[in-house]
Coordinates of all heavy atoms in Angstrom, one line a residue:
M1 N 72.2 -81.4 -58.0 CA 72.3 -80.5 -56.9 C 71.0 -80.1 -56.4 O 70.0 -80.1 -57.1 CB 73.0 -79.1 -57.5 CG 73.3 -78.2 -56.5 SD 73.2 -76.5 -56.9 CE 71.5 -76.1 -56.9
T2 N 70.9 -80.1 -55.1 CA 69.6 -79.7 -54.4 C 69.8 -78.4 -53.7 O 70.7 -78.2 -52.9 CB 69.2 -80.9 -53.5 OG1 69.0 -82.0 -54.2 CG2 67.9 -80.5 -52.7
A3 N 68.8 -77.6 -53.8 CA 68.6 -76.3 -53.0 C 67.7 -76.7 -51.9 O 66.5 -76.9 -52.2 CB 68.2 -75.2 -53.8
Y4 N 68.2 -76.9 -50.7 CA 67.3 -77.4 -49.6 C 66.4 -76.3 -49.0 O 66.7 -75.1 -49.1 CB 68.2 -77.9 -48.5 CG 69.0 -79.1 -49.0 CD1 70.3 -79.1 -49.3 CD2 68.4 -80.4 -49.1 CE1 71.0 -80.2 -49.7 CE2 69.0 -81.5 -49.5 CZ 70.4 -81.4 -49.8 OH 71.0 -82.5 -50.3
G5 N 65.2 -76.8 -48.6 CA 64.2 -75.9 -48.2 C 64.5 -74.9 -47.1 O 64.1 -73.8 -47.2
R6 N 65.3 -75.2 -46.1 CA 65.5 -74.3 -45.0 C 66.7 -73.5 -45.2 O 66.5 -72.2 -45.1 CB 65.7 -75.1 -43.7 CG 65.7 -74.3 -42.5 CD 65.6 -75.0 -41.2 NE 65.8 -74.1 -40.1 CZ 65.8 -74.4 -38.9 NH1 66.0 -75.7 -38.6 NH2 66.0 -73.6 -37.9
P7 N 67.9 -74.0 -45.6 CA 69.0 -73.1 -45.8 C 69.1 -72.5 -47.1 O 69.9 -71.6 -47.3 CB 70.2 -74.1 -45.5 CG 69.7 -75.4 -46.0 CD 68.2 -75.4 -45.6
G8 N 68.4 -73.0 -48.1 CA 68.4 -72.4 -49.4 C 69.6 -72.9 -50.3 O 70.1 -73.9 -50.0
P9 N 70.0 -72.1 -51.2 CA 69.7 -70.8 -51.5 C 68.4 -70.7 -52.2 O 67.8 -71.8 -52.7 CB 70.8 -70.5 -52.6 CG 71.1 -71.7 -53.2 CD 71.0 -72.8 -52.2
Q10 N 67.8 -69.6 -52.4 CA 66.5 -69.3 -53.0 C 66.8 -69.4 -54.5 O 67.8 -68.9 -55.1 CB 65.9 -68.0 -52.8 CG 64.6 -67.7 -53.4 CD 63.5 -68.8 -53.2 OE1 63.5 -69.8 -53.9 NE2 62.8 -68.7 -52.0
V11 N 65.9 -70.1 -55.2 CA 66.0 -70.2 -56.7 C 64.7 -69.8 -57.2 O 63.6 -70.2 -56.8 CB 66.3 -71.7 -57.2 CG1 66.3 -71.8 -58.6 CG2 67.6 -72.2 -56.4
L12 N 64.7 -69.0 -58.4 CA 63.5 -68.5 -59.0 C 63.4 -69.1 -60.4 O 64.5 -69.3 -61.0 CB 63.5 -67.0 -59.1 CG 63.5 -66.2 -57.8 CD1 63.7 -64.7 -58.1 CD2 62.3 -66.5 -57.0
Y13 N 62.2 -69.4 -60.8 CA 62.0 -69.8 -62.2 C 60.8 -68.9 -62.7 O 59.7 -69.1 -62.0 CB 61.7 -71.2 -62.4 CG 61.3 -71.5 -63.8 CD1 62.2 -71.5 -64.8 CD2 59.9 -71.7 -64.2 CE1 61.8 -71.7 -66.1 CE2 59.6 -71.9 -65.5 CZ 60.5 -72.0 -66.4 OH 60.1 -72.2 -67.7
A14 N 60.9 -68.1 -63.7 CA 59.9 -67.2 -64.2 C 59.2 -66.5 -63.0 O 58.0 -66.3 -63.1 CB 58.9 -68.1 -64.9
G15 N 60.1 -66.0 -62.0 CA 59.5 -65.3 -61.0 C 58.9 -66.0 -59.8 O 58.5 -65.5 -58.8
I16 N 58.9 -67.3 -60.0 CA 58.3 -68.2 -59.0 C 59.4 -68.7 -58.0 O 60.4 -69.3 -58.4 CB 57.6 -69.5 -59.6 CG1 56.6 -69.1 -60.6 CG2 57.0 -70.4 -58.5 CD1 56.1 -70.3 -61.5
P17 N 59.3 -68.4 -56.7 CA 60.3 -69.0 -55.8 C 60.1 -70.4 -55.6 O 59.0 -70.9 -55.3 CB 60.0 -68.2 -54.5 CG 58.6 -67.6 -54.6 CD 58.4 -67.5 -56.1
L18 N 61.2 -71.2 -55.8 CA 61.1 -72.6 -55.8 C 61.6 -73.3 -54.4 O 61.2 -74.4 -54.2 CB 61.9 -73.2 -56.9 CG 61.6 -72.8 -58.4 CD1 62.7 -73.4 -59.3 CD2 60.2 -73.1 -58.7
V19 N 62.2 -72.5 -53.6 CA 62.7 -73.1 -52.4 C 62.2 -72.3 -51.1 O 62.2 -71.1 -51.1 CB 64.3 -72.9 -52.4 CG1 65.0 -73.5 -51.2 CG2 64.8 -73.7 -53.7
G20 N 61.9 -73.2 -50.2 CA 61.5 -72.6 -48.9 C 60.1 -72.1 -48.7 O 59.7 -71.4 -47.9
V21 N 59.2 -72.4 -49.7 CA 57.8 -72.1 -49.6 C 56.9 -73.2 -49.4 O 57.3 -74.3 -49.5 CB 57.4 -71.3 -51.0 CG1 58.2 -70.0 -51.2 CG2 57.5 -72.2 -52.2
T22 N 55.7 -72.9 -49.0 CA 54.8 -73.9 -48.7 C 54.5 -74.8 -49.9 O 54.2 -74.1 -51.0 CB 53.4 -73.3 -48.2 OG1 53.7 -72.5 -47.1 CG2 52.4 -74.4 -47.8
P23 N 54.6 -76.1 -49.9 CA 54.5 -76.8 -51.2 C 53.2 -76.7 -51.9 O 53.2 -76.6 -53.1 CB 54.6 -78.3 -50.6 CG 55.4 -78.2 -49.4 CD 55.1 -76.9 -48.8
T24 N 52.1 -76.5 -51.2 CA 50.8 -76.2 -51.9 C 50.7 -74.9 -52.7 O 50.2 -74.9 -53.8 CB 49.6 -76.3 -50.9 OG1 49.8 -75.3 -49.9 CG2 49.4 -77.7 -50.3
V25 N 51.3 -73.9 -52.1 CA 51.6 -72.6 -52.8 C 52.4 -72.8 -54.0 O 52.0 -72.3 -55.1 CB 52.0 -71.5 -51.8 CG1 52.5 -70.2 -52.6 CG2 51.0 -71.3 -50.7
L26 N 53.4 -73.5 -53.9 CA 54.4 -73.7 -55.1 C 53.7 -74.5 -56.1 O 53.7 -74.2 -57.3 CB 55.7 -74.4 -54.7 CG 56.6 -74.8 -55.8 CD1 57.1 -73.5 -56.6 CD2 57.8 -75.5 -55.2
D27 N 53.0 -75.6 -55.8 CA 52.3 -76.4 -56.7 C 51.3 -75.6 -57.5 O 51.2 -75.7 -58.7 CB 51.6 -77.6 -56.0 CG 52.5 -78.7 -55.5 OD1 53.7 -78.7 -55.8 OD2 52.0 -79.6 -54.7
A28 N 50.5 -74.8 -56.8 CA 49.5 -73.9 -57.5 C 50.3 -73.0 -58.5 O 49.7 -72.8 -59.6 CB 48.7 -73.1 -56.4
A29 N 51.3 -72.3 -58.1 CA 52.1 -71.5 -58.9 C 52.6 -72.2 -60.2 O 52.5 -71.7 -61.3 CB 53.1 -70.8 -58.2
V30 N 53.2 -73.4 -59.9 CA 53.8 -74.1 -61.1 C 52.7 -74.6 -62.1 O 52.8 -74.5 -63.2 CB 54.6 -75.3 -60.6 CG1 55.0 -76.3 -61.6 CG2 55.8 -74.8 -59.9
I31 N 51.6 -75.1 -61.6 CA 50.5 -75.5 -62.4 C 49.8 -74.4 -63.2 O 49.6 -74.4 -64.4 CB 49.4 -76.2 -61.6 CG1 49.9 -77.6 -61.0 CG2 48.1 -76.4 -62.3 CD1 49.1 -78.2 -59.9
Q32 N 49.7 -73.1 -62.5 CA 49.2 -72.0 -63.3 C 50.2 -71.6 -64.3 O 49.7 -71.3 -65.5 CB 49.1 -70.8 -62.2 CG 48.4 -69.5 -62.9 CD 48.3 -68.5 -61.8 OE1 49.0 -68.4 -60.8 NE2 47.5 -67.4 -62.2
H33 N 51.5 -71.6 -64.1 CA 52.5 -71.3 -65.1 C 52.4 -72.3 -66.2 O 52.4 -71.8 -67.5 CB 53.9 -71.3 -64.5 CG 55.0 -71.0 -65.5 ND1 55.2 -69.5 -65.8 CD2 55.8 -71.6 -66.2 CE1 56.2 -69.5 -66.6 NE2 56.6 -70.8 -66.9
A34 N 52.2 -73.5 -65.9 CA 52.2 -74.5 -67.0 C 51.0 -74.3 -67.8 O 51.0 -74.4 -69.1 CB 52.1 -75.9 -66.4
E35 N 49.9 -74.0 -67.3 CA 48.6 -73.8 -68.1 C 48.8 -72.5 -68.9 O 48.3 -72.5 -70.1 CB 47.5 -73.7 -67.1 CG 47.1 -75.0 -66.5 CD 46.0 -74.8 -65.4 OE1 45.7 -73.7 -65.0 OE2 45.5 -75.9 -65.0
K36 N 49.3 -71.5 -68.4 CA 49.5 -70.2 -69.1 C 50.4 -70.4 -70.3 O 50.2 -69.7 -71.3 CB 49.9 -69.2 -68.1 CG 50.1 -67.7 -68.7 CD 50.6 -66.8 -67.7 CE 50.7 -65.4 -68.3 NZ 51.3 -64.3 -67.4
H37 N 51.4 -71.2 -70.2 CA 52.4 -71.2 -71.1 C 52.4 -72.6 -71.9 O 53.3 -73.0 -72.7 CB 53.9 -71.1 -70.6 CG 54.0 -69.7 -70.0 ND1 54.3 -68.6 -70.8 CD2 54.0 -69.3 -68.7 CE1 54.4 -67.5 -70.0 NE2 54.2 -68.0 -68.8
D38 N 51.3 -73.3 -71.8 CA 51.0 -74.6 -72.5 C 52.2 -75.5 -72.3 O 52.8 -76.1 -73.3 CB 50.8 -74.4 -73.9 CG 50.1 -75.6 -74.6 OD1 49.4 -76.3 -73.9 OD2 50.3 -75.7 -75.9
M39 N 52.7 -75.7 -71.1 CA 53.7 -76.7 -70.7 C 53.2 -77.9 -70.1 O 52.1 -77.8 -69.5 CB 54.7 -76.0 -69.8 CG 55.4 -74.7 -70.3 SD 56.5 -73.9 -69.1 CE 57.9 -75.0 -69.1
G40 N 53.9 -79.0 -70.2 CA 53.6 -80.2 -69.6 C 54.0 -80.2 -68.1 O 54.9 -79.4 -67.7
L41 N 53.5 -81.1 -67.3 CA 53.8 -81.3 -65.9 C 54.3 -82.7 -65.7 O 53.9 -83.6 -66.4 CB 52.6 -81.1 -65.1 CG 52.1 -79.6 -64.9 CD1 50.8 -79.6 -64.2 CD2 53.1 -78.7 -64.3
R42 N 55.2 -82.8 -64.8 CA 55.7 -84.2 -64.3 C 55.3 -84.2 -62.8 O 55.4 -83.3 -62.0 CB 57.1 -84.4 -64.5 CG 57.4 -84.5 -66.0 CD 58.9 -84.8 -66.2 NE 59.2 -84.9 -67.6 CZ 60.0 -85.8 -68.1 NH1 60.7 -86.5 -67.4 NH2 60.2 -85.8 -69.4
F43 N 54.9 -85.4 -62.3 CA 54.7 -85.7 -60.9 C 55.7 -86.8 -60.4 O 55.8 -87.8 -61.1 CB 53.2 -86.1 -60.7 CG 52.3 -84.9 -61.1 CD1 51.8 -84.8 -62.3 CD2 52.0 -84.1 -60.1 CE1 51.0 -83.7 -62.7 CE2 51.1 -83.1 -60.3 CZ 50.6 -82.9 -61.7
T44 N 56.2 -86.6 -59.2 CA 57.1 -87.6 -58.6 C 56.3 -88.6 -57.9 O 55.1 -88.3 -57.6 CB 58.1 -86.9 -57.7 OG1 57.4 -86.4 -56.5 CG2 58.9 -85.9 -58.3
P45 N 56.8 -89.7 -57.5 CA 56.1 -90.8 -56.7 C 55.6 -90.2 -55.4 O 54.6 -90.7 -54.8 CB 57.1 -91.9 -56.6 CG 58.0 -91.8 -57.7 CD 58.1 -90.2 -58.0
T46 N 56.3 -89.2 -54.9 CA 55.9 -88.7 -53.6 C 55.0 -87.5 -53.7 O 54.6 -86.8 -52.8 CB 57.2 -88.2 -52.8 OG1 57.8 -87.2 -53.7 CG2 58.1 -89.3 -52.5
G47 N 54.5 -87.2 -55.0 CA 53.5 -86.1 -55.2 C 54.1 -84.7 -55.6 O 53.3 -83.9 -55.7
G48 N 55.4 -84.6 -55.8 CA 55.9 -83.3 -56.2 C 55.6 -83.1 -57.6 O 55.4 -84.0 -58.4
V49 N 55.5 -81.9 -58.0 CA 55.2 -81.5 -59.3 C 56.3 -80.6 -59.9 O 57.0 -79.9 -59.2 CB 53.8 -80.6 -59.3 CG1 54.0 -79.3 -58.6 CG2 53.4 -80.4 -60.8
S50 N 56.6 -80.8 -61.2 CA 57.5 -79.9 -61.8 C 57.2 -79.8 -63.2 O 56.4 -80.5 -63.9 CB 59.0 -80.4 -61.7 OG 59.1 -81.7 -62.3
L51 N 57.8 -78.7 -63.9 CA 57.5 -78.4 -65.3 C 58.4 -79.4 -66.2 O 59.5 -79.6 -66.0 CB 57.8 -77.0 -65.6 CG 57.0 -75.9 -64.9 CD1 57.6 -74.6 -64.9 CD2 55.6 -75.9 -65.5
D52 N 57.7 -79.8 -67.2 CA 58.3 -80.9 -68.2 C 59.4 -80.1 -69.0 O 59.3 -79.0 -69.4 CB 57.3 -81.3 -69.1 CG 57.6 -82.5 -69.9 OD1 58.5 -83.2 -69.4 OD2 57.1 -82.8 -70.9
G53 N 60.5 -80.8 -69.0 CA 61.7 -80.3 -69.9 C 62.6 -79.4 -69.1 O 63.5 -78.9 -69.8
L54 N 62.5 -79.2 -67.8 CA 63.4 -78.2 -67.1 C 64.5 -79.0 -66.3 O 65.3 -78.3 -65.8 CB 62.6 -77.4 -66.1 CG 61.7 -76.4 -66.7 CD1 61.1 -75.5 -65.6 CD2 62.4 -75.5 -67.7
N55 N 64.5 -80.3 -66.3 CA 65.5 -81.1 -65.5 C 65.6 -80.6 -64.1 O 66.5 -80.3 -63.5 CB 66.9 -80.9 -66.2 CG 66.9 -81.5 -67.6 OD1 66.2 -82.3 -67.9 ND2 67.9 -81.0 -68.4
L56 N 64.4 -80.5 -63.5 CA 64.1 -80.0 -62.2 C 63.1 -80.8 -61.5 O 62.1 -81.2 -62.1 CB 63.6 -78.5 -62.3 CG 63.0 -77.8 -61.2 CD1 64.1 -77.6 -60.1 CD2 62.4 -76.5 -61.6
S57 N 63.3 -81.1 -60.3 CA 62.4 -81.9 -59.5 C 62.1 -81.1 -58.2 O 63.0 -80.7 -57.5 CB 63.0 -83.3 -59.1 OG 62.1 -84.0 -58.2
L58 N 60.8 -80.9 -57.9 CA 60.4 -80.1 -56.7 C 59.9 -81.1 -55.7 O 59.1 -82.1 -56.1 CB 59.4 -79.1 -57.1 CG 59.8 -78.1 -58.2 CD1 58.5 -77.2 -58.6 CD2 60.9 -77.2 -57.6
S59 N 60.3 -80.9 -54.5 CA 59.7 -81.9 -53.4 C 59.6 -81.0 -52.2 O 59.8 -79.8 -52.2 CB 60.7 -83.0 -53.2 OG 62.0 -82.4 -52.9
A60 N 59.2 -81.7 -51.1 CA 58.9 -81.1 -49.8 C 59.8 -81.7 -48.7 O 60.1 -82.9 -48.8 CB 57.5 -81.2 -49.4
A61 N 60.2 -80.8 -47.8 CA 61.0 -81.3 -46.6 C 60.3 -80.8 -45.4 O 59.8 -79.7 -45.3 CB 62.4 -80.9 -46.7
G62 N 60.3 -81.7 -44.3 CA 59.8 -81.3 -43.1 C 60.7 -80.4 -42.4 O 61.9 -80.6 -42.2
V63 N 60.1 -79.2 -41.8 CA 60.9 -78.3 -41.0 C 60.0 -78.0 -39.8 O 59.0 -77.3 -40.0 CB 61.2 -77.0 -41.8 CG1 61.9 -76.0 -40.9 CG2 62.1 -77.3 -43.1
G64 N 60.4 -78.5 -38.7 CA 59.6 -78.3 -37.5 C 58.2 -79.0 -37.7 O 58.1 -80.1 -38.0
H65 N 57.1 -78.2 -37.5 CA 55.8 -78.7 -37.7 C 55.2 -78.3 -39.1 O 53.9 -78.3 -39.2 CB 54.9 -78.0 -36.6 CG 55.3 -78.5 -35.2 ND1 55.1 -79.8 -34.8 CD2 55.9 -77.8 -34.2 CE1 55.6 -79.9 -33.6 NE2 56.1 -78.8 -33.2
T66 N 56.0 -77.9 -40.0 CA 55.5 -77.6 -41.3 C 56.4 -78.2 -42.4 O 57.4 -78.8 -42.1 CB 55.5 -76.1 -41.5 OG1 54.8 -75.7 -42.7 CG2 56.9 -75.4 -41.4
S67 N 56.1 -78.0 -43.7 CA 56.9 -78.5 -44.7 C 57.2 -77.2 -45.6 O 56.4 -76.3 -45.8 CB 56.1 -79.4 -45.6 OG 55.8 -80.6 -44.9
V68 N 58.4 -77.4 -46.3 CA 58.8 -76.3 -47.2 C 59.3 -77.0 -48.5 O 59.7 -78.1 -48.4 CB 59.9 -75.4 -46.6 CG1 59.3 -74.5 -45.4 CG2 61.1 -76.1 -46.2
S69 N 59.4 -76.3 -49.6 CA 59.7 -76.9 -50.9 C 61.3 -76.9 -50.9 O 62.0 -76.0 -50.4 CB 59.1 -76.0 -52.0 OG 59.6 -74.6 -51.9
E70 N 61.7 -77.9 -51.8 CA 63.1 -78.0 -52.2 C 63.1 -78.2 -53.7 O 62.2 -78.7 -54.3 CB 63.8 -79.1 -51.5 CG 63.8 -79.0 -50.0 CD 64.6 -80.2 -49.3 OE1 64.6 -81.4 -49.9 OE2 65.0 -80.0 -48.3
A71 N 64.3 -77.8 -54.3 CA 64.4 -78.0 -55.7 C 65.7 -78.8 -56.0 O 66.7 -78.4 -55.5 CB 64.5 -76.6 -56.4
S72 N 65.6 -79.8 -56.8 CA 66.8 -80.6 -57.2 C 66.9 -80.5 -58.7 O 65.9 -80.6 -59.5 CB 66.6 -82.1 -56.8 OG 66.5 -82.2 -55.4
F73 N 68.2 -80.2 -59.1 CA 68.5 -80.0 -60.6 C 69.3 -81.2 -61.0 O 70.1 -81.7 -60.2 CB 69.2 -78.8 -60.7 CG 68.5 -77.5 -60.2 CD1 68.6 -77.2 -58.9 CD2 67.7 -76.8 -61.0 CE1 67.9 -76.0 -58.4 CE2 66.9 -75.8 -60.5 CZ 67.1 -75.4 -59.2
Y74 N 69.1 -81.7 -62.2 CA 69.8 -82.8 -62.8 C 70.1 -82.6 -64.3 O 69.4 -81.8 -64.9 CB 69.0 -84.1 -62.5 CG 67.6 -84.0 -63.0 CD1 67.3 -84.6 -64.3 CD2 66.5 -83.6 -62.3 CE1 66.1 -84.6 -64.8 CE2 65.3 -83.6 -62.8 CZ 65.0 -84.1 -64.1 OH 63.7 -84.1 -64.5
T75 N 71.0 -83.4 -64.8 CA 71.2 -83.3 -66.2 C 70.3 -84.4 -66.9 O 69.8 -85.2 -66.3 CB 72.7 -83.6 -66.5 OG1 73.0 -85.0 -66.3 CG2 73.6 -82.7 -65.8
E76 N 70.2 -84.2 -68.2 CA 69.4 -85.1 -69.0 C 69.8 -86.6 -68.8 O 69.0 -87.6 -68.9 CB 69.4 -84.8 -70.4 CG 68.7 -83.5 -70.7 CD 68.6 -83.1 -72.2 OE1 68.6 -84.1 -73.0 OE2 68.6 -82.0 -72.6
R77 N 71.1 -86.9 -68.5 CA 71.6 -88.2 -68.5 C 71.3 -88.9 -67.1 O 71.4 -90.0 -67.0 CB 73.0 -88.3 -68.7 CG 73.3 -88.0 -70.2 CD 74.8 -88.0 -70.5 NE 75.4 -86.8 -69.8 CZ 76.6 -86.4 -69.8 NH1 77.5 -87.2 -70.4 NH2 77.0 -85.4 -69.3
W78 N 70.9 -88.0 -66.1 CA 70.6 -88.6 -64.8 C 69.1 -89.0 -64.8 O 68.3 -88.6 -65.5 CB 70.7 -87.6 -63.7 CG 72.1 -87.1 -63.5 CD1 73.3 -87.5 -64.0 CD2 72.5 -86.0 -62.6 NE1 74.4 -86.8 -63.6 CE2 73.9 -85.9 -62.8 CE3 71.8 -85.2 -61.8 CZ2 74.6 -84.9 -61.9 CZ3 72.5 -84.3 -61.1 CH2 73.9 -84.1 -61.2
E79 N 68.8 -90.0 -64.0 CA 67.5 -90.5 -63.9 C 66.9 -90.1 -62.5 O 67.7 -90.0 -61.6 CB 67.5 -92.0 -63.9 CG 67.8 -92.6 -65.2 CD 67.5 -94.1 -65.3 OE1 66.7 -94.6 -64.6 OE2 68.2 -94.8 -66.1
M80 N 65.7 -89.7 -62.5 CA 65.1 -89.2 -61.3 C 64.7 -90.4 -60.4 O 64.2 -91.4 -61.0 CB 63.9 -88.3 -61.5 CG 64.3 -86.9 -62.0 SD 62.9 -85.8 -62.4 CE 61.8 -86.0 -61.1

């Protein structure tokens, strides 16, 4: 399931909005959270970042002249 950047819905993880925000702002918040809680990070081939073990993939989508974040959720049996 994907929560798309423009229509949403908004999804939060540990108070961090994952959908519809500037990807660089989201990346910084996710990296800071990972460092604070000693969590691993995963990076997608397109440069998206997500927290290890959450079955969550963060990416960016173009909206007009800017980009916003999207969040895709998957089960352990799915491959990213």
Side-chain angles (χ1 to χ4, degrees):
M1 185 207 81
T2 298
Y4 295 102
R6 188 170 178 189
Q10 182 54 266
V11 179
L12 299 174
Y13 173 75
I16 302 169
L18 303 178
V19 178
V21 298
T22 305
T24 55
V25 171
L26 177 58
D27 288 351
V30 169
I31 291 168
Q32 181 181 22
H33 181 80
E35 290 173 347
K36 182 177 179 181
H37 298 283
D38 197 27
M39 298 177 76
L41 293 172
R42 290 187 180 211
F43 294 89
T44 67
T46 59
V49 63
S50 63
L51 295 164
D52 196 23
L54 290 185
N55 298 339
L56 166 69
S57 175
L58 302 171
S59 59
V63 177
H65 296 289
T66 189
S67 293
V68 294
S69 61
E70 297 183 335
S72 296
F73 303 88
Y74 56 94
T75 69
E76 289 182 29
R77 292 179 286 177
W78 294 354
E79 291 186 29
M80 285 179 44

